[in-house]
Amino acid sequence: MMRRKLRDVHGIVLLDKPVGITSNGALQMVKRLFQARKAGHTGSLDPLASGLLPLCFGSATKMSAFLLESDKEYQVTVKLGEKTTTGDAEGEVISRRNAGAVSDAAIAAVLPRYTGTIQQIPPMHSAIKQNGQPLYKLAHQGIEVERQPREVTIYDLRLLRRDGDALDLTVSCSKGTYIRTLAEDIGETLGVGAHVSALRRTAAGPFQADQMVGMGTLQAAAEQDLATLDSFLLPMDAALEQWPDVCLSEDMAYFLRQGQPVFVPKAPTSGWVKLRTADRRFLGVGCVLEDGRVAPKRLVSGA
């Protein structure tokens, strides 16, 4: 059987990941559709979760770290009264308590306690490594180890709807926030326990839910031709929408490509910047040094 020829594809696809598939499984499916040589995702979503999963292709994989660091937004359904081994609906129920007596006023009083900068203890069912071993592998062996609290920020936490013991919440948060832990902590504070029964990511960095494309749409486009499929690729610098541009002359661009910082007239005085040629082609990212020079940090090809 002949293997399809792989091609160099550069850009970002904002996949609406379906429930029931891992993030890597979704990535591999889309990578095959694009016949792409290189691809990666930017932060896993559990199989239980759906929603925004940015996939980076080719040189855009060099931008994935900045998306990993970005803020996120979720819609989550929290089921009160049941605690599970994993903190979500995929785990076994290990305790049940009556949530019927939890009042709306009690819920309204609890949510502000989890808004702002808070401490979270990472769940055992997570990819964090301890002595080189992912915690979830230890959890599968029935081993629980001590984890250090981590500081995260919840920018916004609101109740959208309550239906009996199910709470529909919207969460805007910093990177590294565990929604399962947030749900469990809220449940414990209410005195009844809780777990995540549904989760959907609706924003990541500059990207919003209305920009997502479904797997079925991509599959249909691939059946037409690769040009139609490629129309769903966003430029790799779309991940850096809020960063200022620095335009370089031909000479400046040459020295930057050699790894040398350069002085750029009217450049920002600090922070990260997008690097562009005089004709607006994206070269990569840099940062402004203390002496005002712009230093290259991550340059790309195939822009």
Side-chain angles (χ1 to χ4, degrees):
M1 185 172 66
M2 291 184 61
R3 296 180 62 184
R4 291 188 300 177
K5 184 178 179 181
L6 299 180
R7 60 194 188 114
D8 292 319
V9 179
H10 304 282
I12 300 172
V13 171
L14 302 181
L15 179 68
D16 184 354
K17 188 191 85 66
V19 172
I21 185 173
T22 66
S23 293
N24 187 60
L27 169 68
Q28 297 307 321
M29 290 174 65
V30 177
K31 184 180 178 183
R32 284 193 294 271
L33 290 177
F34 277 88
Q35 300 176 29
R37 197 180 309 277
K38 182 179 181 181
H41 63 71
T42 58
S44 295
L45 281 173
D46 292 337
L48 170 79
S50 67
L52 184 55
L53 181 65
L55 306 178
C56 296
F57 292 85
S59 292
T61 56
K62 294 184 178 181
M63 302 298 108
S64 61
F66 302 109
L67 282 171
L68 283 167
E69 296 291 312
S70 65
D71 297 333
K72 310 292 191 301
E73 187 174 288
Y74 300 90
Q75 289 185 354
V76 55
T77 300
V78 176
K79 181 174 175 58
L80 299 178
E82 291 184 353
K83 186 173 181 178
T84 71
T85 53
T86 59
D88 60 27
E90 293 188 325
E92 297 180 7
V93 176
I94 54 177
S95 71
R96 285 189 173 91
R97 285 172 274 182
N98 181 17
V102 176
S103 67
D104 292 347
I107 295 168
V110 161
L111 296 185
R113 295 174 58 176
Y114 292 97
T115 304
T117 300
I118 64 172
Q119 297 284 326
Q120 280 194 330
I121 297 177
M124 280 299 301
H125 286 266
S126 68
I128 293 175
K129 291 184 178 180
Q130 181 154 314
N131 297 325
Q133 184 88 319
L135 290 181
Y136 68 84
K137 288 190 176 181
L138 296 175
H140 290 161
Q141 300 171 42
I143 300 172
E144 183 165 349
V145 296
E146 185 177 354
R147 288 95 67 200
Q148 294 300 313
R150 295 189 169 197
E151 190 174 274
V152 299
T153 302
I154 308 295
Y155 304 110
D156 188 35
L157 175 60
R158 285 180 290 126
L159 176 66
L160 300 177
R161 186 173 71 101
R162 179 181 184 180
D163 183 8
D165 58 7
L167 309 180
D168 290 336
L169 306 174
T170 180
V171 184
S172 176
C173 57
S174 65
K175 66 153 190 169
T177 301
Y178 287 98
I179 304 300
R180 285 175 293 162
T181 299
L182 178 64
E184 288 185 311
D185 289 346
I186 290 172
E188 289 305 315
T189 302
L190 290 170
V192 295
H195 70 268
V196 170
S197 61
L199 181 64
R200 182 168 177 78
R201 186 190 286 163
T202 53
F207 301 129
Q208 301 296 314
D210 59 5
Q211 297 175 277
M212 293 189 295
V213 56
M215 188 74 76
T217 300
L218 292 176
Q219 290 169 335
E223 291 173 2
Q224 295 184 49
D225 52 58
L226 289 175
T228 301
L229 187 61
D230 287 350
S231 68
F232 291 100
L233 285 166
L234 297 178
M236 64 185 78
D237 56 327
L240 315 171
E241 186 180 90
Q242 306 301 320
W243 291 20
D245 286 333
V246 168
C247 290
L248 308 167
S249 67
E250 186 176 337
D251 288 342
M252 292 174 186
Y254 172 81
F255 286 112
L256 268 176
R257 288 191 179 103
Q258 309 309 310
Q260 300 181 38
V262 297
F263 281 107
V264 182
K266 300 181 180 179
T269 57
S270 64
W272 289 89
V273 295
K274 290 179 287 189
L275 305 173
R276 297 190 184 280
T277 61
D279 61 358
R280 304 293 298 170
R281 284 186 298 111
F282 179 60
L283 288 178
V285 300
C287 69
V288 182
L289 303 178
E290 289 184 0
D291 62 8
R293 291 180 300 164
V294 177
K297 287 299 181 182
R298 197 160 293 176
L299 302 182
V300 300
S301 60

